[in-house]
Amino acid sequence: MKTKTHDRLCPVLAAVVLLAAAPAFAQERGADEPGPAGAPQAGESGLTGESPAYLRSARNAFIEALDFQGALGPARQLVTRAGAADDPELPRDVAMLARVEAELEDFDSAERDYLKAIDLIQKADGEFSISLVDAYRGLGRSYIKSRQFPEAVTALDEARHISQRNLGLFNVTQTPLIDDLTTAYLGLGDTITAQRLQQERLENAVRRFGEDDPKTIPYRYQLASYYDESRLRTSARQEYEKILAVVEQQNEGNGTALLRPLRELLRIDLLIG
C-alpha cells in the first residue's frame, strides 16, 4: 500500500537516480573552493554536457521533490547552453528557471526571466497566445511572494484577460488566477474587490455547469469558507444551505455527503446564536 511518505520519497529518489547516472563533474579545484563565474555553485547540480531532455528530467525531478536549490543548476544550464536560442522549448525553460528563482526568493532574477519568457512567447506565438497565461501567472505569484501587490494585480489581470480572450469570459480554467488575484487584493487591503472576485469564481462555475450541478459544490465550499474567514457568517450559511440542497436534489443524501454541510451549518448556528 502506498503511503504519504512513499509519495514524497518517489520524486526525491528520482532526482538522486538522475544525479547518480550523470558523469562526474570534473574539477581540479577543491570542493569548498569557489568555481569560475557561471559554473554551478554548492547546492546546484553539475550536469554539464548533458542533453536538454536529461537536464529537463533532472530539473523537474528536483522541483517535484521541492529541492529548488538542486533544480537551479539544470534549469540555468538549459537556457545558457549552446543551441538554446533555437530550441522551441526555450520560452518554457526560461519560465521554469524564473519559477525556481522565485522559490529561492531571488525575485529580481525571477522578474527578469519571467519577462524574458513572456517576450519570447509573444514573438513566437503572438501577444494573445494562451501560453502567456502561465508565464504571467508565475510573474504575478512572484510579485505576491515579494509583497509587490500592485505589480501582482497587473500581471494577473493580464493573464486573466488572455485566458478570457482564448477560452471565454466565464471559463473555469481561470479559477487559479482568480484565487491569486484575491490574494493580491487582500495584500492591498481591498477586501471588497477580493470578495467580488470570489463571487465571480462561483458565478463562472454556475454558468458553466448549471445552478444545481454537483460540480459547483467545490466552488460553493470555497466561497462559504471565504465568507466564514471574513466573518460574514450569514452569507456563509446561505452557501452551505445551497450545498445541502444540491446534494439532496441529486439523490446523494447518503449520510456521508450530507455530513459536511450539516456540520458546517450547525457550527455557524452556534457561532451566530
Side-chain angles (χ1 to χ4, degrees), residues 109-177:
S109 296
E111 178 185 38
R112 180 196 65 228
D113 285 326
Y114 270 126
L115 291 174
K116 179 181 177 181
I118 288 166
D119 183 59
L120 289 169
I121 294 169
Q122 288 176 334
K123 287 178 179 176
D125 302 323
E127 60 180 323
F128 298 115
S129 168
I130 192 67
S131 301
L132 288 166
V133 171
D134 286 341
Y136 273 116
R137 185 188 178 207
L139 178 61
R141 289 171 67 85
S142 177
Y143 283 139
I144 288 173
K145 286 173 68 71
S146 60
R147 304 190 65 78
Q148 299 180 71
F149 297 115
E151 292 84 352
V153 168
T154 300
L156 293 167
D157 269 336
E158 185 63 23
R160 193 177 180 205
H161 169 68
I162 294 170
S163 172
Q164 291 173 337
R165 184 182 178 93
N166 283 274
L167 304 173
L169 287 175
F170 308 110
N171 76 82
V172 293
T173 60
Q174 64 186 302
T175 297
L177 291 170

Side-chain angles (χ1 to χ4, degrees), residues 174-186:
Q174 64 186 302
T175 297
L177 291 170
I178 292 175
D179 288 340
D180 289 338
L181 273 167
T182 300
T183 301
Y185 275 107
L186 288 174

Side-chain angles (χ1 to χ4, degrees), residues 4 17 23 42 54 103 118 142 153 158 160 169 182 220 228 231 233-234 243-244 260 263:
K4 290 183 179 179
V17 170
Y54 186 93
E103 293 289 349
I118 288 166
S142 177
V153 168
E158 185 63 23
R160 193 177 180 205
L169 287 175
T182 300
R220 292 191 185 279
D228 202 3
R231 301 192 178 188
R233 297 204 168 100
T234 300
I243 292 168
L244 190 62
R260 183 178 175 187
R263 184 172 60 245

Side-chain angles (χ1 to χ4, degrees), residues 29-34:
R29 60 184 178 83
D32 298 326
E33 217 176 295

Side-chain angles (χ1 to χ4, degrees), residues 67-70 72 99-107 145:
D67 181 358
F68 296 103
Q69 189 63 52
L72 183 60
R99 178 192 169 189
V100 170
E101 290 165 337
E103 293 289 349
L104 293 172
E105 299 187 357
D106 184 359
F107 297 119
K145 286 173 68 71

